[in-house]
Amino acid sequence: MLTAKTLSARDPALAARLGWIIATPLLLLAAMYYTGFDPRLLLDADTLATLAHFAGEFFPPSHDPVFLASLWHETLTTLAVASSGTLLAMLVGLPAALLTSRALDRDVLTGEAPSRLWHWLQNSLRALMVILRGVPDLVWALLLVRAAGLGSLPAVLALGLAYGGMLGKVYAEILEAQPRAPAAALAGSGASRLAIFGYALLPQAAHELISYSVYRWECAIRASAVMGFVGAGGLGLLMDTSIRMLNGGEVGALLLVFMALVALTELISRLARHAVESRRGGLVLAAACILLQLAAFGWLGPQWQDSPFDVGGLLRFAGELLHPNLAPAFLLKVGGGMLETLAQSALGTAFAFLGGALLALPASQRGPRWLRYPVQLLLNILRGTPDLLWGAIAVLALSLGPAAGVLALALHTSGVLGRLFAHTLENLPPEPEAALRVSGASPVARLAYGLLPQALPQWIAYTLYRWENNIRIAAILGLVGAGGLGQQLYLALSLFQLGNAATLIAAMLLLSWGVEGISRWLRQRLE
Amino acid sequence: MSLALSEATLSLRGQRILDGITLRLAQGEQAALIGPSGAGKSSLLLLVATQYRAASGSVQLLGAEPWQLDSAALRRLRSRIGSVYQHAPLPALQRVVTAVGAGRLGQLSTLAALRRLLWPQDVAGIRAALEQVQLGDKLWQRCDRLSGGQRQRVGIARALYQQPDLLLADEPVSALDPRLADDTIALLCRQAATRNSTLLVSLHSVELALAHFPRLIGLRDGQVMFDLPRSEVTPALLAALYAGDTPPEPDDTPAAKLPRVAPC
């Protein structure tokens, strides 16, 4: 079609491009000003000396028998909490998905008149799921610890609620992505919702449902490893103590265990997702899951015997949370906290994008071998160390405040993104770059014209997803003194100001939804 | 001599792909490469494009031995050799203007190349190249919004924009309808003749080869079976060349998908 626009000699995308090129650094500069994060601080001799001194104390890792015994105990608790929490999340998520998935709606499948009441109920359930997953798991744990006492029980419940909301949405979406014909045929012959699921959708979607659940378990291990920071048991408990005591040797030992856990769960997760492919593998996987759940319950059950958990107390607590503090002066303060959290998450993620991009090239298969393995090791250390722990370390280096939160997010996320970016690079079709090579393009030009145009959209999509994650983490980094909403929430809960806590949690929800919306909008522009 | 292969062999992953190829094309000469699928047509073109290096024998391109050159001289040589691929190697989300402009990267400094990425240069020249393949209106489009045939023609426009002294094309019209295919081959021949560039094109269609090229090279099992002027290519010769050939399944490489799952 010959329109004025397509025939113009001027680049029609130029204005938008210039806009992005000018607006992005300006926004980041504003965020840097607001959070007080100065990248030059990282090269400051004092900061580096503090960090080097602290890191130097990691060696040798503590091998005190008493410490090692509790390390073993808490490692098992962490694994058990993650497994039971994932099971609980599936018990929440699967029914929710079956009730809300449009793939099972009769009116969608057969064209019958929709039922108003049913859709109203579905939407209410969806809204509940949104709240369940919108509140960070650590905040759930923080609340449940207040209501149900210290220990691993609140951690399991927190994972069940937060991940239940997530699984409910993702399961429903997986069902909606399946071919519709078999379900429509069954619906036409009058089958019930459950029958349609069992006979038409489950056979198609089983692999995807299982592999996503396994992947969620992998995430749950990382989450349960830091639950102890709010008193909910597991390795985080030891980590919190060791950092407060500035016991470098213990922190070193804990870090080694964290990395080993992350590596182990990734291996198991990969094996499990592979096992689903064959019938025998599926049976082995099912047996392993049942054994794991029994073992987890056997390990955690005795711990829960003397838990002060009582449903009445929980309900009273929840009731008090329904009265948020809406005083203007307090709302203004919360608004400031929201802005700070938003700036922290955006800035940390942006620096992580740069860090990840810089590390991805040498970490991928195109890097020379002598450089590749050290860089991969660095990436594993960066992402193997939980964000909350980076927060605690950054607070030591930069002192209390939002700048430490930015640094923590940037470091942890650089590791996560660097690995994903390298993976992306390795899986790109090589033809565009090869064609440029044989037409004489220089290495940098090949990168800019052949490789990055393919990699960049995927990198940006990953970064945006990660930003959605980081806004939640930024909201809780305050728990270790790294600024943002978390600091206010921790204070409110410590002083039993539940009205304030309720407002702060609502603010976290709003932020999380806002960032999800922006991220979705930006990702659609990439397509 | 624009292109001179002498007893060139090529092995990939331990398999002999090309075996003792001897072939000479004078500057400005035009020839078609025909043969059954799997005969080694694409590999021969990639060998000449310096994508592959011959295991033995010699390869001379535009008067130079590519693998004896230092990297700067090799780049200069490569910038004079243009390639059209069956599946145009265009990044899905790159715009046509950038993809075609990339044809001249070998002639630009790295800095100039990066500047063009932000601010397209020589838009008129790029548009002119696109208009030759009737895609002038697609200048600002993204490559993944084009049909397979349009992508193939953008690939041709890129090679034309490069203005090479040696132009290689591997099944350049496989995704085009017969009339457009005919026009496009005619365009390649005409452009090569105007610039006195050497042209070597592999074609699946013998009719197109006979209609447009004075010289046909038949390749079978990695060897040159015949290398004759058009008038001496007999039906019996063609039948022997294609004996037992099964046409390949058409394949289309899907565009890269954006990730759908948030990493934890």
Side-chain angles (χ1 to χ4, degrees), chain B:
Chain B
M1 215 31 68
S2 176
L3 186 169
L5 301 183
S6 165
E7 289 298 320
T9 61
L10 175 70
S11 297
L12 294 174
R13 288 170 222 95
Q15 226 186 343
R16 179 59 53 94
I17 305 291
L18 295 173
D19 197 4
I21 302 275
T22 297
L23 187 65
R24 299 166 79 79
L25 263 75
Q27 187 63 44
E29 202 175 348
Q30 302 188 350
L33 201 55
I34 57 173
S37 45
K41 301 190 294 289
S42 302
S43 302
L44 176 57
L45 287 167
L46 289 173
L47 177 73
V48 176
T50 71
Q51 183 104 273
Y52 298 142
R53 188 174 175 169
S56 65
S58 86
V59 177
Q60 277 214 356
L61 302 168
L62 303 170
E65 295 219 20
W67 302 107
Q68 308 296 323
L69 300 172
D70 63 58
S71 65
L74 178 60
R75 270 191 60 191
R76 274 197 300 281
L77 173 66
R78 281 172 160 170
S79 75
R80 297 171 60 203
I81 304 173
S83 293
V84 177
Y85 301 83
Q86 186 178 1
H87 297 291
L90 312 173
L93 301 184
Q94 196 169 57
R95 293 189 301 170
V96 170
V97 63
T98 318
V100 173
R104 280 199 198 158
L105 284 180
Q107 298 149 41
L108 295 174
S109 73
T110 298
L111 212 62
L114 293 181
R115 209 185 55 216
R116 278 184 170 215
L117 205 53
L118 291 178
W119 200 290
Q121 305 278 308
D122 190 24
V123 173
I126 293 171
R127 190 198 298 281
L130 279 167
E131 272 164 358
Q132 289 179 333
V133 293
Q134 287 128 52
L135 289 177
D137 58 326
K138 298 286 187 249
L139 185 65
W140 305 111
Q141 277 276 9
R142 252 169 43 179
C143 289
D144 62 342
R145 304 262 158 86
L146 303 175
S147 70
Q150 288 172 335
R151 282 170 64 84
Q152 201 164 37
R153 284 185 286 153
V154 168
I156 292 170
R158 173 199 271 202
L160 293 179
Y161 181 69
Q162 186 183 345
Q163 302 190 325
D165 295 322
L166 169 59
L167 181 56
L168 310 166
D170 186 13
E171 308 252 7
V173 293
S174 59
L176 305 184
D177 68 62
R179 235 197 70 200
L180 199 51
D182 198 72
D183 289 351
T184 306
I185 294 295
L187 168 75
L188 282 175
C189 292
R190 199 167 59 240
Q191 287 292 319
T194 318
R195 299 201 68 250
N196 194 33
S197 310
T198 311
L199 178 65
L200 181 59
V201 180
S202 82
L203 286 170
H204 200 72
S205 152
V206 178
E207 293 75 36
L208 275 178
L210 285 169
H212 293 280
F213 292 88
R215 177 178 164 192
L216 271 66
I217 300 161
L219 208 61
R220 189 182 165 96
D221 294 333
Q223 292 178 319
V224 176
M225 190 173 153
F226 61 78
D227 181 355
L228 295 169
R230 161 165 50 193
S231 55
E232 292 174 33
V233 177
T234 62
L237 215 47
L238 288 172
L241 182 68
Y242 284 100
D245 179 35
T246 45
E249 299 277 318
D251 68 315
D252 213 4
T253 37
K257 285 258 165 59
L258 288 181
R260 290 268 166 264
V261 179
C264 71

Side-chain angles (χ1 to χ4, degrees), chain A residues 415-441:
Chain A
V416 175
L417 289 182
R419 175 162 167 272
L420 287 169
F421 288 2
H423 193 67
T424 312
L425 284 180
E426 284 165 6
N427 289 311
L428 288 177
E431 290 87 4
E433 204 195 349
L436 292 176
R437 183 169 56 91
V438 298
S439 70

Side-chain angles (χ1 to χ4, degrees), chain A residues 229-317:
Chain A
F229 273 92
V230 297
L235 284 167
L237 203 64
L238 293 179
M239 184 58 90
D240 196 33
T241 324
S242 303
I243 288 191
R244 279 177 209 274
M245 314 283 275
L246 288 179
N247 189 330
E250 288 184 8
V251 177
L254 280 159
L255 272 179
L256 284 179
V257 173
F258 272 135
M259 313 252 175
L261 260 187
V262 168
L264 182 74
T265 48
E266 275 173 7
L267 180 72
I268 294 176
S269 165
R270 211 170 31 240
L271 287 176
R273 273 177 281 184
H274 185 69
V276 185
E277 305 285 320
S278 75
R279 189 167 183 82
R280 231 175 94 204
L283 287 175
V284 172
L285 181 64
C289 285
I290 292 172
L291 279 178
L292 181 69
Q293 292 300 345
L294 288 176
F297 198 74
W299 178 256
L300 294 175
Q303 297 181 19
W304 296 348
Q305 298 258 298
D306 36 43
S307 153
F309 185 86
D310 79 296
V311 178
L314 192 65
L315 289 178
R316 262 199 311 284
F317 186 79

